[in-house]
Amino acid sequence: MSLSIVILAAGKGTRMKSDTPKVLHPISGKAMLFHIIDESLKLSSNITVVLSHKFDMVKELLESEYSGLNIVKQDLENFPGTGGALKGLEFKSKKVLVLNGDMPLVKADSLKELTDTNSDIAMTILELDNPTGYGRVVIENGFAKEIVEQKDCTKEQEKIKSVNAGVYCFNGEVLNEFVPKIDNKNAQNEYYLTDIIKMAVDSGKKIEPIVVDEDEFMGVNSKYHLSIAQDFMQDRIKQELMESGVIMRNPKSIYIDCKAKFIGECNLENGVAIEGECIIENSHIKAHSVIEESKITNSSIGPMAHIRPNSTIKDSHIGNFVEVKKSTLNDVKAGHLSYLGDSEIDSGTNIGAGVITCNYDGKAKYKTKIGKNVFVGSDSQLVAPVTLEDNTMVAAGSTITENVPSGSLAITRVKQKQVDGFFNKFFRK
Ligand code: UD1
Ligand code: MG
């Protein structure tokens, strides 16, 4: 194959201040590393991922999601640094695209621009007002001469605003020649991949700098960067969705997972969060509702409703302060203040205010089945496992512990009694 891709993801990510390896931190619901792998797969199936920090954990996660990746372990102790990451690898393809695992915003189309050049090395440059943290690129007569890491910069070099974005397309031969020569004589005693640039220049090679955008090529090194990358990606996701027909009121206040899908005309009000793999079709999600890994079709949800994972809601109205979990609702109204968990509710059924499915006895979870045309009166508790058959009623304030047969009313509340004159007696008026 003429193009292979190497993704560097072995670093500790010290600046993240986290037990989670840096490249596993999610952006819009997907690990940074997975974002870049997904884009890479659009260009080549020959992908090597270099890991080391928490190797077993990251490897297992990768293998559960992808097949055919070449996963290698960097000797981080003896050969730390982005150059150390490539030591020991053999490059057989004509072109080798080197990517960083901490760049979740990069798109395959932009990478193609890099792989399409015929230079020995093409490298990416960001022009930044604030270059802090990045390697500075010395450019002369339109060609890159050298990359100097922040910690090795002179005062003058620190002022350079052209920085190394960290993505390169190398001729495979160039890597085979120069990677073994990278040393660790620098402020961090690390093996810098960036040192190849100067070595290649000294041996007469030309390095083509390609200016790229920060909103695509920024590197994530801290939780602050994570939040910036998140914003960029959210803007991107929402713009695409709005262009394909989703209405958003105050989009900045809305969060949408990159795996969520929208069909038909949907409307998202302010403060809505769509988490995980949701499918939302022709539905209106009102302000401050949270939908997690669920399917919503032809329904209105909220305001302030919480739809938890594995719910399927069709032709229904879910009102304020209603929580639904792992339930299937078909043509149902649940307008106010309810908990519907592990339940199946069929068409024409009305769930009154404050109804609760008591699905948990402290040890196990049980199901509540509610048939067609059932009227569940307000403030009732349905103690699972329990079934309300088609065409039944539950009187308000009942605690239902037994199945309700079709056609009947269930009522469990104590009969009301009146005590004459009690008020005046009690308050001694
Ligand atoms: C690197 C570049 C810098 C550039 C910046 C862009 C070097 C020496 N510096 O710096 O010029 O401006 O990226 O974001 O290359 N990694 C390994 N093994 C290691 C160290 C890192 O695989 O031993 C991986 C990390 O997991 C990460 C990527 O390489 O995905 C970049 O590492 P990072 O430590 O973030 O490099 P920077 O200091 O940002
Ligand atoms: Mg970085």
Side-chain angles (χ1 to χ4, degrees):
M1 201 172 287
S2 65
L3 176 69
S4 63
I5 299 178
V6 182
I7 302 174
L8 309 185
K12 261 198 183 134
T14 315
R15 290 166 280 178
M16 281 303 266
K17 309 224 166 30
S18 173
D19 282 343
T20 306
K22 171 164 84 171
V23 293
L24 292 186
H25 279 268
I27 302 268
S28 298
K30 184 159 90 176
M32 293 201 269
L33 181 56
F34 290 16
H35 279 290
I36 192 118
I37 292 175
D38 288 342
E39 289 306 300
S40 299
L41 283 168
K42 295 176 187 171
L43 300 176
S44 170
S45 57
N46 184 349
I47 298 178
T48 298
V49 185
V50 183
L51 303 175
S52 189
H53 180 60
K54 302 213 174 167
F55 179 81
D56 293 331
M57 173 195 170
V58 185
K59 180 170 188 267
E60 198 178 307
L61 257 171
L62 280 177
E63 285 173 343
S64 70
E65 194 78 10
Y66 303 94
S67 58
L69 291 180
N70 177 30
I71 298 174
V72 298
K73 188 171 184 178
Q74 180 184 351
D75 178 358
L76 207 53
E77 208 158 294
N78 295 308
F79 296 100
T82 48
L86 296 188
K87 283 206 185 266
L89 298 183
E90 200 191 328
F91 303 95
K92 292 182 189 135
S93 52
K94 187 160 176 287
K95 287 182 177 181
V96 183
L97 183 63
V98 177
L99 306 173
N100 284 352
D102 64 354
M103 302 186 125
L105 301 165
V106 171
K107 288 192 234 167
D109 280 348
S110 311
L111 294 175
K112 228 178 150 292
E113 229 177 283
L114 222 72
T115 57
D116 282 348
T117 69
N118 283 320
S119 327
D120 294 311
I121 305 176
M123 66 166 292
T124 46
I125 308 270
L126 294 168
E127 300 287 1
L128 298 181
D129 286 337
N130 176 9
T132 311
Y134 286 95
R136 310 299 202 277
V137 186
V138 181
I139 298 174
E140 271 174 38
N141 305 323
F143 291 100
K145 291 282 164 199
E146 190 183 358
I147 303 174
V148 190
E149 291 306 301
Q150 162 110 10
K151 287 185 180 154
D152 303 290
C153 277
T154 61
K155 279 270 171 280
E156 271 314 297
Q157 287 169 329
E158 262 185 25
K159 291 182 195 147
I160 299 177
K161 292 187 169 174
S162 302
V163 304
N164 171 26
V167 170
Y168 326 80
C169 186
F170 293 97
N171 174 310
E173 289 302 312
V174 169
L175 282 180
N176 287 325
E177 182 181 349
F178 294 109
V179 169
K181 296 181 181 159
I182 299 175
D183 65 26
N184 64 348
K185 291 182 194 123
N186 51 57
Q188 304 189 83
N189 295 325
E190 284 189 5
Y191 294 81
Y192 293 164
L193 175 58
T194 46
D195 284 354
I196 286 191
I197 304 300
K198 191 169 184 310
M199 290 191 243
V201 168
D202 289 346
S203 77
K205 306 244 181 306
K206 285 219 183 322
I207 321 298
E208 187 179 336
I210 296 179
V211 176
V212 293
D213 288 334
E214 189 188 9
D215 62 3
E216 226 190 304
F217 282 83
M218 69 171 284
V220 172
N221 297 312
S222 67
K223 286 175 178 158
Y224 175 58
H225 293 159
L226 197 67
S227 77
I228 296 172
Q230 177 78 275
D231 278 349
F232 280 134
M233 186 162 292
Q234 281 295 302
D235 283 347
R236 201 188 276 178
I237 290 171
K238 288 177 216 165
Q239 188 178 342
E240 271 174 28
L241 288 173
M242 287 186 273
E243 273 159 12
S244 69
V246 178
I247 298 172
M248 296 188 201
R249 180 166 87 189
N250 192 358
K252 280 275 175 223
S253 69
I254 294 172
Y255 170 84
I256 302 175
D257 190 290
C258 64
K259 296 184 288 301
K261 290 200 170 59
F262 291 80
I263 303 168
E265 189 163 25
C266 295
N267 189 341
L268 307 182
E269 292 184 5
N270 48 297
V272 161
I274 308 291
E275 309 270 0
E277 279 182 65
C278 290
I279 301 177
I280 319 263
E281 181 172 2
N282 293 323
S283 292
H284 187 165
I285 316 297
K286 294 185 186 169
H288 303 290
S289 294
V290 177
I291 318 274
E292 302 171 275
E293 283 155 46
S294 288
K295 185 167 188 227
I296 316 282
T297 313
N298 296 327
S299 296
S300 71
I301 309 287
M304 289 166 284
H306 186 185
I307 312 300
R308 290 172 49 205
N310 302 312
S311 297
T312 304
I313 298 177
K314 186 168 165 276
D315 299 325
S316 295
H317 165 66
I318 303 296
N320 40 202
F321 306 110
V322 173
E323 175 180 348
V324 179
K325 186 216 85 176
K326 205 177 175 187
S327 290
T328 303
L329 277 62
N330 174 26
D331 181 23
V332 171
K333 287 193 174 72
H336 337 262
L337 301 150
S338 279
Y339 172 60
L340 304 170
D342 303 297
S343 61
E344 259 174 49
I345 312 180
D346 213 339
S347 61
T349 287
N350 185 85
I351 305 292
V355 169
I356 291 172
T357 53
C358 309
N359 61 332
Y360 185 50
D361 65 1
K363 286 188 188 165
K365 301 270 166 75
Y366 302 96
K367 278 194 86 162
T368 301
K369 280 189 162 182
I370 307 179
K372 295 186 170 71
N373 308 315
V374 176
F375 181 90
V376 185
S378 294
D379 196 28
S380 292
Q381 301 93 54
L382 311 175
V383 182
V386 72
T387 299
L388 314 184
E389 291 183 0
D390 292 349
N391 308 318
T392 53
M393 299 178 84
V394 170
S398 294
T399 301
I400 302 301
T401 53
E402 283 169 30
N403 294 348
V404 180
S406 186
S408 57
L409 162 76
I411 179 165
T412 68
R413 61 183 185 237
V414 185
K415 208 168 177 194
Q416 183 169 334
K417 68 177 180 185
Q418 252 77 252
V419 183
D420 285 344
F422 185 86
F423 181 90
N424 286 340
K425 208 169 105 191
F426 188 76
F427 289 107
R428 294 182 189 285
K429 277 192 181 163

